[in-house]
Amino acid sequence: MPSTASHPDAIIETALRLPFQFDPARLEEDLARINSADWQAHFNNSIYRGDWSGVALRAAPGSHMALYSDPTADTWADTALLEQCPAFKEVLESFACPLTSVRLLRLGPGAIIEEHRDPMLGVDYGEVRIHVVIATNPNVECRLQGRPYHWAAGECWYADFSCTHSFVNQGDTERVHMVLDCKVNDWLRALLAQLGEASLPRMPLIRPAPVTIPKQIETLDDWIMLKERVALMRAEKCCLAHERVKSENGVPVRNTGAEDGFCRIGFCSREIRDHQLGCAHTMVRYQLQDIIRALGNSDIMTAEDSTSLGQLLDSAGNEIQFMDHRKGAAEKHYAILHEQLNNPATQPSEAALLAASEQIAAIDRQHGAYVKQIGSIRDRVLTYLEAGIARESAV
């Protein structure tokens, strides 16, 4: 395996061949151990023609759709089929990153997977999809952003599947890939960044398209996309950092350009605000609000429930924004007291310092309570989306 020195600013390409070469003969031996009855038709039947089927090698325990890579799942486990396949297990052991769903996906002769995107999947979202080619033929083609690829047996490929992509098998034999969903850690990020500078097939960096929330949820793809988006929303406290006073070595930093002012930390990073429901100035709460409205236009959630949930979300969000400024004022007051510690004439009492500190802590606790409320709203929305997926999958 090559060195994976960190390249934090390197461009990660849309498609990269990884430095693994697996023995096609051994992979075929394990493939032969899979019984015909083990293959299940892919659940997303709106985007393919012909035979697109799969077998789960790692799945969420108790899932009613083993082939579905459920982003809300907390635990993943190897299936009994994987235990029968030593070469497949060796493939998984080659990856020094957490693995969630792992599947064999088969595309039969003449089958087509039409152009589509897999939302919220890519390095920027913390999870990527990697393909190991088990069986193929010269007439199998993958297209990413319109560019054709042919991946050979035994090869291992990363691709940014949040970009438009399609697959076609125009040959006379089946195409089987092992598809691994991998959590991005330092090892994987460094590997992809390093390979982005190597002499492998390269494409310009294409950022995932922003998620558009439909006003009306009509297809299984809509239900799945919305559930995956909500599953990535995190109901956790941020630091209410917008008005927070900067400090160096425990000493508040003065803003020389403003009378009686202090330097502030500023907004949370864009990465946090894209996913963090509890952040004061987040954008993701607006997406959750749009999803609640879309559910209200469906027959899964009543309009009354949609209005009620939306009002609760608005109320909690407004309170959190107000708290950001209240905490900023409280921190400024505490910073002034801290400066006065060095002046005997104005030195505050311990009681005054304790009261100022407690005021900040009280705001922080109140923030936690509202974030918990938003978390319960998010969980209810997920329940509705899961019900919609179950209904559409049964059709």
Side-chain angles (χ1 to χ4, degrees), residues 47-130:
I47 63 168
Y48 71 91
R49 302 193 300 274
D51 172 25
W52 188 28
S53 53
V55 172
L57 300 179
R58 277 180 63 81
S63 172
H64 72 284
M65 284 197 298
L67 290 183
Y68 177 47
S69 180
D70 189 344
T72 67
D74 295 323
T75 58
W76 298 84
D78 296 348
T79 65
L81 282 173
L82 179 61
E83 295 302 318
Q84 303 169 21
C85 302
F88 290 170
K89 292 181 70 174
E90 289 177 16
V91 171
L92 271 56
E93 291 165 359
S94 300
F95 290 85
C97 58
L99 302 177
T100 58
S101 169
V102 178
R103 301 161 289 173
L104 298 179
L105 290 182
R106 179 177 65 185
L107 196 63
I112 296 172
I113 303 172
E114 297 171 351
E115 188 173 79
H116 67 288
R117 297 177 186 265
D118 296 324
M120 311 309 294
L121 189 67
V123 174
D124 290 341
Y125 296 113
E127 187 165 346
V128 301
R129 185 159 290 166
I130 290 173

Coordinates of all heavy atoms in Angstrom, one line a residue, residues 47-130:
I47 N -35.3 3.4 -11.8 CA -34.2 4.0 -12.6 C -33.4 2.9 -13.4 O -32.4 3.2 -13.9 CB -33.1 4.7 -11.7 CG1 -32.5 3.7 -10.6 CG2 -33.8 5.9 -11.0 CD1 -31.3 4.3 -9.9
Y48 N -33.9 1.7 -13.4 CA -33.2 0.6 -14.2 C -34.2 -0.2 -15.0 O -35.4 -0.3 -14.7 CB -32.4 -0.2 -13.3 CG -33.1 -1.2 -12.4 CD1 -33.4 -2.5 -12.8 CD2 -33.5 -0.8 -11.1 CE1 -34.0 -3.4 -12.0 CE2 -34.2 -1.7 -10.3 CZ -34.5 -3.0 -10.7 OH -35.1 -3.9 -9.9
R49 N -33.6 -0.8 -16.0 CA -34.3 -1.8 -16.9 C -33.4 -3.1 -16.9 O -32.2 -3.0 -17.1 CB -34.5 -1.2 -18.3 CG -35.3 0.1 -18.3 CD -35.7 0.4 -19.7 NE -34.6 0.6 -20.6 CZ -34.0 1.7 -20.8 NH1 -34.3 2.8 -20.1 NH2 -33.0 1.8 -21.7
G50 N -34.1 -4.2 -16.9 CA -33.4 -5.5 -16.9 C -33.1 -6.0 -15.5 O -33.8 -5.6 -14.5
D51 N -32.1 -6.8 -15.3 CA -31.7 -7.4 -14.0 C -30.7 -6.5 -13.3 O -29.5 -6.5 -13.7 CB -31.2 -8.8 -14.3 CG -30.6 -9.4 -13.0 OD1 -31.0 -9.0 -11.9 OD2 -29.7 -10.3 -13.0
W52 N -31.2 -5.9 -12.3 CA -30.2 -5.2 -11.3 C -30.6 -5.8 -10.0 O -31.7 -5.5 -9.4 CB -30.4 -3.7 -11.4 CG -29.4 -2.9 -10.6 CD1 -28.1 -3.4 -10.3 CD2 -29.5 -1.6 -10.0 NE1 -27.4 -2.4 -9.5 CE2 -28.3 -1.3 -9.4 CE3 -30.5 -0.7 -9.9 CZ2 -28.1 -0.1 -8.7 CZ3 -30.3 0.5 -9.3 CH2 -29.1 0.8 -8.7
S53 N -29.8 -6.6 -9.4 CA -30.1 -7.3 -8.2 C -28.8 -7.3 -7.3 O -27.7 -6.9 -7.7 CB -30.5 -8.7 -8.5 OG -29.6 -9.4 -9.3
G54 N -29.0 -7.7 -6.0 CA -27.9 -7.6 -5.1 C -28.0 -8.7 -4.0 O -29.0 -9.3 -3.8
V55 N -26.9 -8.7 -3.2 CA -26.8 -9.6 -2.1 C -26.1 -8.7 -1.0 O -25.1 -8.1 -1.3 CB -26.0 -10.9 -2.4 CG1 -25.7 -11.6 -1.1 CG2 -26.7 -11.7 -3.4
A56 N -26.6 -8.7 0.2 CA -26.0 -8.0 1.3 C -24.9 -8.8 1.9 O -25.1 -9.9 2.3 CB -27.0 -7.6 2.3
L57 N -23.7 -8.1 2.1 CA -22.6 -8.7 2.8 C -22.4 -8.1 4.2 O -21.8 -8.7 5.1 CB -21.3 -8.6 2.0 CG -21.3 -9.3 0.6 CD1 -20.0 -9.0 -0.1 CD2 -21.6 -10.8 0.7
R58 N -22.7 -6.8 4.3 CA -22.9 -6.1 5.6 C -24.2 -5.3 5.5 O -24.5 -4.7 4.5 CB -21.7 -5.2 5.8 CG -20.5 -5.8 6.4 CD -19.3 -4.8 6.7 NE -19.7 -3.8 7.6 CZ -19.6 -4.0 9.0 NH1 -19.2 -5.1 9.5 NH2 -19.9 -3.0 9.8
A59 N -24.9 -5.4 6.6 CA -26.2 -4.7 6.6 C -26.6 -4.3 8.0 O -25.9 -4.8 9.0 CB -27.3 -5.6 6.1
A60 N -27.5 -3.4 8.2 CA -28.0 -3.0 9.5 C -28.9 -4.2 10.0 O -29.8 -4.6 9.3 CB -28.9 -1.8 9.4
P61 N -28.6 -4.7 11.2 CA -29.3 -5.8 11.8 C -30.8 -5.5 11.8 O -31.2 -4.4 12.3 CB -28.7 -6.0 13.2 CG -27.4 -5.4 13.1 CD -27.5 -4.2 12.1
G62 N -31.6 -6.4 11.4 CA -33.1 -6.3 11.5 C -33.7 -5.4 10.4 O -34.9 -5.2 10.4
S63 N -32.9 -4.9 9.4 CA -33.4 -4.0 8.4 C -34.4 -4.8 7.5 O -34.1 -6.0 7.1 CB -32.3 -3.5 7.5 OG -32.8 -2.8 6.4
H64 N -35.5 -4.2 7.1 CA -36.5 -4.9 6.3 C -36.0 -4.8 4.8 O -36.6 -5.5 3.9 CB -37.9 -4.3 6.4 CG -38.0 -2.9 5.8 ND1 -37.5 -1.8 6.5 CD2 -38.6 -2.5 4.7 CE1 -37.8 -0.7 5.7 NE2 -38.5 -1.1 4.6
M65 N -35.0 -4.0 4.5 CA -34.5 -3.9 3.1 C -32.9 -4.0 3.3 O -32.3 -3.0 3.5 CB -34.8 -2.6 2.4 CG -36.3 -2.6 1.9 SD -36.5 -1.3 0.7 CE -36.2 0.2 1.6
A66 N -32.4 -5.2 3.2 CA -31.0 -5.4 3.5 C -30.1 -4.7 2.5 O -29.0 -4.4 2.8 CB -30.7 -6.9 3.5
L67 N -30.6 -4.5 1.3 CA -29.8 -3.9 0.2 C -29.8 -2.3 0.4 O -28.9 -1.7 -0.2 CB -30.3 -4.2 -1.2 CG -30.2 -5.6 -1.7 CD1 -30.7 -5.7 -3.1 CD2 -28.7 -6.0 -1.6
Y68 N -30.6 -1.8 1.2 CA -30.7 -0.4 1.4 C -29.6 0.1 2.4 O -29.6 -0.4 3.5 CB -32.1 0.0 1.9 CG -32.3 1.5 2.2 CD1 -31.9 2.5 1.3 CD2 -32.9 1.9 3.4 CE1 -32.0 3.8 1.5 CE2 -33.1 3.3 3.6 CZ -32.6 4.2 2.7 OH -32.8 5.5 3.0
S69 N -28.8 1.0 1.9 CA -27.7 1.6 2.8 C -28.3 2.7 3.7 O -28.3 3.9 3.3 CB -26.6 2.1 2.0 OG -25.6 2.6 2.8
D70 N -28.9 2.3 4.8 CA -29.7 3.2 5.6 C -28.8 4.2 6.4 O -28.1 3.8 7.2 CB -30.5 2.4 6.6 CG -31.5 3.2 7.4 OD1 -31.4 4.5 7.4 OD2 -32.5 2.7 8.0
P71 N -28.8 5.5 6.0 CA -27.9 6.4 6.7 C -28.3 6.6 8.2 O -27.5 7.2 8.9 CB -28.1 7.7 5.9 CG -29.4 7.6 5.3 CD -29.7 6.1 5.0
T72 N -29.5 6.2 8.6 CA -29.8 6.4 10.0 C -29.4 5.2 10.9 O -29.5 5.3 12.1 CB -31.4 6.5 10.2 OG1 -32.0 5.3 9.8 CG2 -31.9 7.6 9.2
A73 N -28.9 4.2 10.3 CA -28.5 3.0 11.1 C -27.2 3.3 11.9 O -26.3 4.0 11.5 CB -28.1 1.8 10.2
D74 N -27.2 2.8 13.2 CA -26.1 3.1 14.1 C -25.1 1.9 14.1 O -24.0 2.1 14.4 CB -26.6 3.3 15.5 CG -27.5 4.5 15.7 OD1 -27.1 5.5 15.0 OD2 -28.5 4.5 16.4
T75 N -25.6 0.7 13.7 CA -24.8 -0.5 13.8 C -24.9 -1.2 12.4 O -25.9 -1.2 11.8 CB -25.2 -1.4 14.9 OG1 -26.5 -1.8 14.8 CG2 -25.0 -0.7 16.3
W76 N -23.8 -1.9 12.1 CA -23.7 -2.7 10.9 C -23.0 -4.0 11.2 O -22.1 -4.0 12.0 CB -23.0 -1.9 9.8 CG -23.6 -0.6 9.4 CD1 -23.5 0.6 10.0 CD2 -24.5 -0.4 8.3 NE1 -24.3 1.5 9.4 CE2 -24.9 0.9 8.4 CE3 -25.1 -1.3 7.4 CZ2 -25.8 1.5 7.4 CZ3 -26.0 -0.7 6.4 CH2 -26.3 0.6 6.5
A77 N -23.4 -5.0 10.6 CA -22.8 -6.3 10.9 C -22.6 -7.2 9.6 O -23.4 -7.0 8.7 CB -23.8 -7.1 11.9
D78 N -21.6 -8.0 9.6 CA -21.4 -8.9 8.5 C -22.6 -9.9 8.5 O -23.1 -10.3 9.5 CB -20.1 -9.7 8.7 CG -18.9 -8.8 8.7 OD1 -19.0 -7.6 8.3 OD2 -17.8 -9.3 9.1
T79 N -22.9 -10.3 7.3 CA -24.0 -11.3 7.1 C -23.4 -12.7 7.1 O -22.2 -12.9 6.9 CB -24.8 -11.0 5.8 OG1 -23.9 -11.2 4.7 CG2 -25.3 -9.6 5.7
A80 N -24.3 -13.7 7.2 CA -23.8 -15.1 7.2 C -23.2 -15.4 5.8 O -22.2 -16.2 5.8 CB -25.0 -16.0 7.4
L81 N -23.6 -14.7 4.7 CA -23.0 -15.0 3.4 C -21.6 -14.6 3.4 O -20.7 -15.3 2.8 CB -23.8 -14.3 2.3 CG -25.2 -14.9 1.9 CD1 -25.9 -14.0 0.9 CD2 -24.9 -16.3 1.2
L82 N -21.3 -13.5 4.0 CA -19.9 -13.0 4.0 C -19.0 -14.0 4.7 O -17.8 -14.2 4.2 CB -19.8 -11.6 4.6 CG -18.4 -11.0 4.7 CD1 -17.8 -10.8 3.3 CD2 -18.4 -9.7 5.5
E83 N -19.5 -14.6 5.7 CA -18.6 -15.6 6.5 C -18.2 -16.8 5.6 O -17.2 -17.4 5.9 CB -19.4 -16.1 7.7 CG -19.7 -15.0 8.7 CD -18.4 -14.3 9.2 OE1 -17.4 -15.0 9.5 OE2 -18.4 -13.1 9.4
Q84 N -19.0 -17.0 4.5 CA -18.7 -18.1 3.6 C -17.7 -17.8 2.5 O -17.3 -18.6 1.7 CB -20.0 -18.6 3.0 CG -21.0 -19.1 4.0 CD -22.4 -19.3 3.3 OE1 -22.4 -19.5 2.1 NE2 -23.5 -19.3 4.0
C85 N -17.2 -16.5 2.5 CA -16.5 -16.0 1.3 C -15.2 -15.4 1.8 O -15.1 -14.2 2.1 CB -17.3 -14.9 0.6 SG -18.9 -15.6 0.0
P86 N -14.1 -16.2 1.9 CA -12.8 -15.7 2.4 C -12.2 -14.6 1.6 O -11.6 -13.6 2.1 CB -11.9 -16.9 2.5 CG -12.6 -17.9 1.5 CD -14.0 -17.6 1.6
A87 N -12.3 -14.6 0.3 CA -11.7 -13.6 -0.6 C -12.4 -12.3 -0.4 O -11.8 -11.2 -0.4 CB -11.7 -14.0 -2.0
F88 N -13.8 -12.3 -0.3 CA -14.5 -11.1 0.0 C -14.1 -10.5 1.3 O -14.0 -9.3 1.4 CB -16.0 -11.4 -0.1 CG -16.6 -11.8 -1.4 CD1 -17.9 -12.2 -1.5 CD2 -15.8 -11.6 -2.6 CE1 -18.4 -12.6 -2.8 CE2 -16.3 -11.9 -3.8 CZ -17.6 -12.4 -3.9
K89 N -13.9 -11.3 2.3 CA -13.5 -10.8 3.6 C -12.2 -10.1 3.5 O -12.0 -9.1 4.2 CB -13.5 -11.9 4.7 CG -14.9 -12.5 5.0 CD -14.9 -13.6 6.0 CE -14.5 -13.0 7.4 NZ -14.6 -14.1 8.4
E90 N -11.3 -10.7 2.7 CA -10.0 -10.0 2.6 C -10.1 -8.7 1.9 O -9.3 -7.8 2.3 CB -9.0 -11.0 1.8 CG -8.6 -12.2 2.6 CD -7.7 -13.1 1.7 OE1 -7.2 -12.7 0.6 OE2 -7.6 -14.3 2.1
V91 N -11.0 -8.5 1.0 CA -11.2 -7.2 0.4 C -11.6 -6.2 1.5 O -11.0 -5.1 1.6 CB -12.3 -7.3 -0.7 CG1 -12.7 -5.9 -1.1 CG2 -11.9 -8.1 -1.9
L92 N -12.5 -6.6 2.3 CA -13.0 -5.6 3.4 C -11.9 -5.3 4.3 O -11.8 -4.2 4.8 CB -14.2 -6.2 4.1 CG -15.6 -5.9 3.6 CD1 -15.7 -6.4 2.1 CD2 -16.6 -6.6 4.4
E93 N -11.0 -6.3 4.6 CA -9.9 -6.0 5.6 C -8.8 -5.1 5.0 O -8.0 -4.6 5.7 CB -9.3 -7.4 6.0 CG -10.2 -8.2 6.8 CD -9.8 -9.7 6.9 OE1 -8.8 -10.0 6.3 OE2 -10.5 -10.4 7.6
S94 N -8.9 -4.8 3.7 CA -7.9 -4.0 3.1 C -8.2 -2.5 3.4 O -7.3 -1.6 3.1 CB -7.9 -4.2 1.5 OG -7.6 -5.5 1.2
F95 N -9.4 -2.2 3.9 CA -9.8 -0.8 4.1 C -9.7 -0.4 5.6 O -10.4 -1.0 6.4 CB -11.2 -0.6 3.6 CG -11.3 -0.7 2.1 CD1 -11.4 -1.9 1.4 CD2 -11.2 0.5 1.3 CE1 -11.5 -2.0 0.1 CE2 -11.2 0.4 -0.1 CZ -11.3 -0.8 -0.7
A96 N -8.8 0.5 5.9 CA -8.6 1.0 7.2 C -9.5 2.1 7.6 O -9.1 3.2 8.1 CB -7.1 1.4 7.4
C97 N -10.8 2.0 7.3 CA -11.8 3.0 7.6 C -13.1 2.2 7.9 O -13.2 1.0 7.6 CB -12.0 3.9 6.4 SG -12.5 3.0 4.9
P98 N -14.0 2.9 8.7 CA -15.2 2.2 9.0 C -16.1 1.9 7.8 O -16.2 2.7 6.9 CB -15.9 3.2 9.9 CG -14.9 4.1 10.4 CD -13.9 4.2 9.3
L99 N -16.6 0.7 7.7 CA -17.5 0.2 6.6 C -18.9 0.1 7.2 O -19.2 -0.4 8.2 CB -17.1 -1.1 6.1 CG -15.6 -1.2 5.6 CD1 -15.3 -2.7 5.1 CD2 -15.4 -0.3 4.4
T100 N -19.9 0.7 6.4 CA -21.3 0.5 6.8 C -21.9 -0.6 5.9 O -21.6 -1.8 6.1 CB -22.0 1.9 6.6 OG1 -21.9 2.3 5.3 CG2 -21.4 2.9 7.6
S101 N -22.6 -0.2 4.9 CA -23.2 -1.2 4.0 C -22.2 -1.7 3.0 O -21.4 -1.0 2.4 CB -24.4 -0.6 3.2 OG -24.8 -1.4 2.1
V102 N -22.2 -3.1 2.8 CA -21.4 -3.7 1.7 C -22.3 -4.7 1.0 O -23.0 -5.5 1.6 CB -20.2 -4.4 2.3 CG1 -19.4 -5.1 1.2 CG2 -19.3 -3.5 3.1
R103 N -22.4 -4.5 -0.3 CA -23.3 -5.4 -1.1 C -22.6 -5.9 -2.4 O -21.6 -5.2 -2.9 CB -24.5 -4.5 -1.6 CG -25.3 -3.9 -0.5 CD -26.2 -2.8 -0.9 NE -25.4 -1.6 -1.3 CZ -25.9 -0.5 -1.8 NH1 -27.1 -0.4 -2.2 NH2 -25.1 0.5 -2.1
L104 N -23.1 -7.0 -2.9 CA -22.8 -7.4 -4.3 C -23.9 -6.8 -5.1 O -25.1 -7.1 -4.8 CB -22.7 -8.9 -4.4 CG -21.6 -9.6 -3.7 CD1 -21.7 -11.1 -3.9 CD2 -20.2 -9.1 -4.0
L105 N -23.6 -6.1 -6.2 CA -24.7 -5.6 -7.1 C -24.4 -6.2 -8.5 O -23.3 -6.0 -9.1 CB -24.7 -4.1 -7.1 CG -25.2 -3.4 -5.8 CD1 -25.2 -1.9 -6.0 CD2 -26.6 -3.9 -5.4
R106 N -25.4 -6.9 -9.0 CA -25.3 -7.6 -10.3 C -26.1 -6.8 -11.3 O -27.3 -6.5 -11.1 CB -25.8 -9.0 -10.2 CG -25.8 -9.8 -11.4 CD -26.2 -11.2 -11.2 NE -27.6 -11.3 -10.8 CZ -28.3 -12.4 -10.4 NH1 -27.6 -13.6 -10.4 NH2 -29.5 -12.4 -10.1
L107 N -25.5 -6.6 -12.5 CA -26.2 -6.0 -13.7 C -26.2 -7.1 -14.8 O -25.1 -7.5 -15.3 CB -25.5 -4.8 -14.1 CG -26.2 -3.8 -15.0 CD1 -27.5 -3.3 -14.4 CD2 -25.3 -2.7 -15.5
G108 N -27.4 -7.6 -15.1 CA -27.5 -8.7 -16.0 C -27.2 -8.2 -17.5 O -27.2 -7.0 -17.8
P109 N -27.0 -9.2 -18.4 CA -26.8 -8.8 -19.8 C -27.9 -8.0 -20.3 O -29.1 -8.3 -20.1 CB -26.7 -10.2 -20.5 CG -26.3 -11.1 -19.4 CD -26.9 -10.6 -18.2
G110 N -27.6 -6.9 -21.0 CA -28.6 -6.0 -21.6 C -29.2 -5.0 -20.6 O -30.0 -4.2 -21.0
A111 N -28.8 -5.1 -19.3 CA -29.5 -4.2 -18.3 C -28.8 -2.8 -18.3 O -27.7 -2.6 -18.6 CB -29.3 -4.9 -16.9
I112 N -29.6 -1.9 -17.9 CA -29.2 -0.5 -17.8 C -29.7 0.2 -16.5 O -30.8 0.0 -16.1 CB -29.9 0.3 -19.0 CG1 -29.4 -0.2 -20.4 CG2 -29.6 1.8 -18.9 CD1 -30.2 0.4 -21.5
I113 N -28.7 0.9 -15.9 CA -29.1 1.8 -14.8 C -29.0 3.2 -15.3 O -28.0 3.7 -15.7 CB -28.1 1.6 -13.6 CG1 -28.0 0.2 -13.1 CG2 -28.5 2.5 -12.4 CD1 -26.9 -0.1 -12.1
E114 N -30.1 3.9 -15.3 CA -30.2 5.2 -16.0 C -29.5 6.2 -15.2 O -29.2 6.1 -14.0 CB -31.7 5.5 -16.2 CG -32.4 4.6 -17.1 CD -33.9 4.8 -17.1 OE1 -34.4 5.6 -16.3 OE2 -34.6 4.3 -18.0
E115 N -29.2 7.3 -15.8 CA -28.5 8.4 -15.2 C -29.2 9.0 -14.0 O -30.4 9.2 -14.0 CB -28.3 9.6 -16.2 CG -27.3 10.7 -15.7 CD -27.0 11.7 -16.7 OE1 -27.9 12.6 -17.0 OE2 -25.9 11.6 -17.3
H116 N -28.5 9.1 -12.9 CA -29.1 9.6 -11.6 C -28.0 10.0 -10.7 O -26.8 9.9 -11.0 CB -29.9 8.4 -10.9 CG -29.0 7.3 -10.4 ND1 -28.5 6.4 -11.3 CD2 -28.7 6.9 -9.2 CE1 -27.8 5.5 -10.6 NE2 -27.9 5.8 -9.3
R117 N -28.3 10.6 -9.6 CA -27.4 10.9 -8.5 C -27.7 10.2 -7.3 O -28.9 9.9 -7.0 CB -27.4 12.4 -8.2 CG -27.1 13.4 -9.4 CD -27.3 14.8 -8.9 NE -27.1 15.8 -10.0 CZ -25.9 16.4 -10.2 NH1 -24.9 16.2 -9.4 NH2 -25.8 17.3 -11.2
D118 N -26.7 9.9 -6.4 CA -26.9 9.4 -5.1 C -26.7 10.5 -4.1 O -25.5 10.9 -3.9 CB -25.9 8.2 -4.8 CG -26.2 7.0 -5.7 OD1 -27.4 6.8 -6.0 OD2 -25.2 6.4 -6.1
P119 N -27.7 11.1 -3.6 CA -27.6 12.4 -2.8 C -26.8 12.1 -1.5 O -26.9 11.1 -0.9 CB -29.1 12.8 -2.5 CG -29.8 11.5 -2.7 CD -29.1 10.7 -3.7
M120 N -26.1 13.2 -1.1 CA -25.4 13.2 0.2 C -24.4 12.1 0.3 O -24.1 11.6 1.4 CB -26.4 13.1 1.4 CG -27.6 14.1 1.3 SD -27.2 15.8 1.0 CE -26.3 16.1 2.5
L121 N -23.8 11.8 -0.8 CA -22.7 10.8 -0.8 C -21.5 11.3 -1.5 O -21.5 11.7 -2.7 CB -23.3 9.5 -1.6 CG -22.4 8.3 -1.5 CD1 -22.4 7.7 -0.1 CD2 -22.9 7.2 -2.5
G122 N -20.4 11.4 -0.8 CA -19.2 12.0 -1.3 C -18.3 12.4 -0.2 O -18.7 12.4 1.0
V123 N -17.0 12.7 -0.5 CA -16.1 13.1 0.5 C -16.6 14.2 1.4 O -16.4 14.2 2.6 CB -14.7 13.4 -0.1 CG1 -13.7 14.0 0.9 CG2 -14.1 12.2 -0.8
D124 N -17.2 15.2 0.8 CA -17.7 16.4 1.5 C -18.8 16.0 2.5 O -19.0 16.8 3.4 CB -18.2 17.5 0.5 CG -17.1 18.1 -0.3 OD1 -15.9 18.0 0.2 OD2 -17.4 18.7 -1.3
Y125 N -19.4 14.9 2.3 CA -20.5 14.5 3.2 C -20.1 13.4 4.2 O -20.9 13.0 5.0 CB -21.7 14.0 2.3 CG -22.3 15.0 1.5 CD1 -22.2 14.9 0.1 CD2 -23.0 16.1 2.0 CE1 -22.8 15.9 -0.7 CE2 -23.5 17.1 1.2 CZ -23.5 17.0 -0.1 OH -24.0 18.0 -0.9
G126 N -18.8 13.0 4.1 CA -18.3 12.1 5.2 C -18.5 10.7 4.9 O -18.1 9.8 5.7
E127 N -19.0 10.3 3.7 CA -19.2 8.9 3.3 C -19.0 8.8 1.8 O -19.6 9.6 1.1 CB -20.5 8.3 3.8 CG -20.7 6.8 3.6 CD -21.8 6.2 4.4 OE1 -22.3 6.9 5.3 OE2 -22.2 5.1 4.1
V128 N -18.2 7.8 1.4 CA -18.0 7.6 0.0 C -18.4 6.1 -0.4 O -18.4 5.2 0.5 CB -16.6 7.9 -0.4 CG1 -16.2 9.3 -0.1 CG2 -15.6 6.9 0.2
R129 N -18.5 5.9 -1.7 CA -18.9 4.6 -2.2 C -17.8 4.1 -3.1 O -17.3 4.8 -4.0 CB -20.2 4.7 -3.0 CG -20.7 3.3 -3.5 CD -22.2 3.4 -3.7 NE -23.0 3.6 -2.5 CZ -24.3 4.0 -2.4 NH1 -24.9 4.3 -3.5 NH2 -24.9 4.0 -1.2
I130 N -17.3 2.9 -2.9 CA -16.2 2.3 -3.6 C -16.6 1.0 -4.2 O -17.3 0.2 -3.6 CB -15.0 2.1 -2.6 CG1 -14.4 3.4 -2.2 CG2 -13.9 1.2 -3.3 CD1 -13.3 3.4 -1.2

